[in-house]
Amino acid sequence: VLEGALADVVQLAVGADFSCARKRDGAVLCWGRGDSGQLADETKRQSQNPVAIPLGDVAIDVAAGGAHACAVLATGRVACWGSNRRGQGGNPAAAVETQSKPFVLPGVEGAVEVGAGTNHACVRLQGGTVSCWGAGEAGQLGPNERTGGATPVPIAELTGVLDLSVAGNHVCVRVEGGAVRCWGQGSGGQVGTGVLLDRNPRPADVRDLPGPATAIATGTNVSCAIVAGAVHCWGQNRSGEVGDGTRELRTTATKVLG
């Protein structure tokens, strides 16, 4: 049981073999794997105990991805640490493959929420727009960027975003009115458009949601939304992660049983 340093926690973020927590005072601590700088302590060693991330500012949101993590600071800036091999750490210096201390992304202001996938990250900005950076071969960075990179790319044709969820190689958002829109890798049905495509660069409405969503969540090969208190999911479903009593792939929103 982790005690002491993790008192008064208000948010958790779990990546691949490491975890982070944000405390009420805005401090962020991470533990677990550290070979890509996930713990931001410059040792690149794993730790069974929480390690304080030297952000130099109060964090208001935190996210953990494949081997990187990002935080939204009280100033509206975004800081990332860990792997930068695909630009997911936001550092444009090509020689920097790992970041053992937080790097504040240049040009990002007014951030309110951040999400991290396997090799990319996205930020929701004041005013309801979204920008993404990192790997882009599955369309994670939207229709205007294919190869990817460390520079945040505004997602075209997307406004009024209220919530952001990032996982694997895809992104989902909840927009004004309660519609859910997703983009990125869709070969497992995780973007919910009814079509199986490896690359989906344009945000598209999830099909078959019975009404406005009030919350969303994403996993590597599955996505879910809450509608009128019920849960609806879509995705690969090899392990039953859609929750509909089958293991059949679901390309559109399907109600979870129970």
Side-chain angles (χ1 to χ4, degrees):
V1 177
L2 298 174
E3 299 178 348
L6 281 185
D8 213 19
V9 171
V10 295
Q11 184 185 9
L12 290 171
V14 178
D17 300 325
F18 76 106
S19 303
C20 297
R22 180 174 62 89
K23 298 175 63 174
R24 192 176 303 278
D25 63 4
V28 172
L29 301 95
C30 299
W31 61 97
R33 190 168 180 171
D35 57 338
S36 292
Q38 297 96 315
L39 309 186
D41 65 351
E42 300 190 6
T43 67
K44 295 186 179 180
R45 293 181 295 180
Q46 68 179 24
S47 176
Q48 293 86 358
N49 299 312
V51 176
I53 306 300
L55 291 172
D57 196 0
V58 171
I60 61 173
D61 193 41
V62 65
H68 67 295
C70 298
V72 176
L73 307 179
T75 56
R77 306 296 299 274
V78 173
C80 297
W81 59 98
S83 179
N84 191 54
R85 289 183 176 88
R86 301 297 304 278
Q88 65 265 51
N91 192 331
V96 179
E97 292 192 349
T98 61
Q99 297 182 151
S100 55
K101 60 181 180 180
F103 175 82
V104 178
L105 276 67
V108 176
E109 298 180 352
V112 293
E113 184 181 16
V114 67
T118 300
N119 290 309
H120 75 293
C122 299
V123 62
R124 176 168 64 91
L125 304 171
Q126 293 175 358
T129 61
V130 170
S131 293
C132 299
W133 61 96
E137 65 273 7
Q140 304 98 306
L141 309 190
N144 295 330
E145 177 60 53
R146 187 182 185 100
T147 59
T151 301
V153 178
I155 304 301
E157 306 168 10
L158 187 64
T159 60
V161 176
L162 302 175
D163 293 308
L164 167 73
S165 187
V166 184
N169 296 315
H170 75 293
V171 186
C172 291
V173 296
R174 184 174 68 93
V175 300
E176 294 174 354
V180 177
R181 309 187 75 190
C182 301
W183 67 95
Q185 186 176 35
S187 56
Q190 60 268 56
V191 296
T193 61
V195 180
L196 296 176
L197 293 173
D198 288 337
R199 187 173 187 272
N200 298 268
R202 294 187 180 277
D205 288 345
V206 172
R207 293 177 51 189
D208 295 341
L209 280 176
T214 55
I216 57 173
T218 55
T220 300
N221 295 308
V222 64
S223 306
C224 298
I226 298 175
V227 177
V231 179
H232 299 258
C233 297
W234 53 97
Q236 195 169 70
N237 209 23
R238 287 180 180 172
S239 300
E241 60 266 38
V242 171
D244 65 344
T246 77
R247 292 185 180 179
E248 296 180 11
L249 185 150
R250 300 299 186 187
T251 62
T252 65
T254 305
K255 190 174 183 178
V256 175
L257 300 178

